[in-house]
Amino acid sequence: MRRIALVTLVVADYDEAIRFYTEALGFRLVEDTPRPDGSRWVVVEPGSEGQGGGLLLARAKDEAQRDRVGDQTGGRVGFFLHTDDFARDHARMRAAGVRFLEEPRHEPYGSVAVFEDLYGNRWDLLQPAAGPAAD
């Protein structure tokens, strides 16, 4: 095993999710392919191509899945978005309307702030501290 390639994120609507992840968070749309059942295979990734860690945006198909949209980790931070320039990305994301739940913190492990995606899932924006602990 080399890496986790994709993680599924259940969303209410493909197009609004694509807009949020590409415009507000700066992800790349890697694939948007219609499937025979009317669903779509939608993949977005942060960073450069081939770095892995993409999201499969999957539209909720039934009530049980719709109940999970925005609460896929029970209110915990479930996603971690690393940056090499915290101040730049925090400012850009705020300007794009991303809702941060706290002011930036500077911890021994790095600079961090919790934000919500368009459905309420919690994320860390994190610039790891330099040094062996960050590797």
Side-chain angles (χ1 to χ4, degrees):
M1 296 336 134
R2 295 179 56 203
R3 64 183 170 96
I4 295 174
L6 296 173
V7 173
T8 298
L9 186 66
V10 181
V11 300
D13 179 83
Y14 291 118
D15 294 322
E16 73 180 0
I18 290 168
R19 272 191 304 280
F20 177 81
Y21 285 97
T22 60
E23 295 174 13
L25 298 190
F27 285 29
R28 292 177 306 103
L29 178 61
V30 175
E31 185 173 356
D32 184 355
T33 304
R35 300 182 44 91
D37 65 357
S39 67
R40 289 157 56 184
W41 184 264
V42 178
V43 176
V44 295
E45 287 182 352
S48 301
E49 188 172 347
Q51 290 182 336
L55 294 176
L56 173 65
L57 303 178
R59 186 182 62 208
K61 292 183 179 183
D62 57 30
E63 191 63 33
Q65 290 180 13
R66 282 189 289 279
D67 287 346
R68 291 289 181 232
V69 172
D71 190 28
Q72 294 178 123
T73 60
R76 294 184 57 106
V77 171
F79 306 94
F80 301 83
L81 184 58
H82 282 198
T83 177
D84 60 356
D85 188 331
F86 182 89
R88 174 200 66 211
D89 290 336
H90 181 263
R92 184 189 57 73
M93 290 167 64
R94 285 185 55 120
V98 174
R99 181 171 176 250
F100 280 85
L101 303 178
E102 63 182 11
E103 291 300 313
R105 294 178 283 123
H106 305 287
E107 304 288 350
Y109 57 84
S111 297
V112 63
V114 176
F115 69 92
E116 289 182 335
D117 68 16
L118 75 162
Y119 298 115
N121 293 301
R122 292 180 178 209
W123 290 68
D124 270 358
L125 175 64
L126 175 65
Q127 181 177 358
D135 294 335

